[in-house]
Amino acid sequence: MTKTTHPPKHLVREYLERRTHQQVEPPPSPEEIRRELGWHLLPELRQPDQVDRD
């Protein structure tokens, strides 16, 4: 059986204090996520119920 150790309370308090005062950025836009994943390189998937109006 492994023995687990817990950090001292003062270290936990300091960690939580840092986390609560940390600047949090908003999540990226869906377009940015698609770009980072390379989805903009894939051909668009056509739905069977879509009609091409060209």
Side-chain angles (χ1 to χ4, degrees):
M1 185 172 265
T2 60
K3 184 177 181 181
T4 25
T5 59
H6 297 281
K9 289 181 182 179
H10 73 278
L11 290 179
V12 174
R13 287 186 187 115
E14 289 173 9
Y15 168 77
L16 290 174
E17 186 69 23
R18 283 194 309 271
R19 289 283 308 237
T20 55
H21 291 80
Q22 188 178 38
Q23 292 291 337
V24 179
E25 295 182 20
S29 68
E31 294 81 22
E32 178 67 17
I33 294 171
R34 289 184 190 101
R35 189 189 64 74
E36 288 184 18
L37 293 174
W39 289 1
H40 66 285
L41 301 173
L42 298 174
E44 294 206 21
L45 300 175
R46 294 201 173 260
Q47 298 297 326
D49 59 341
Q50 286 183 343
V51 178
D52 196 10
R53 297 183 183 190
D54 289 331

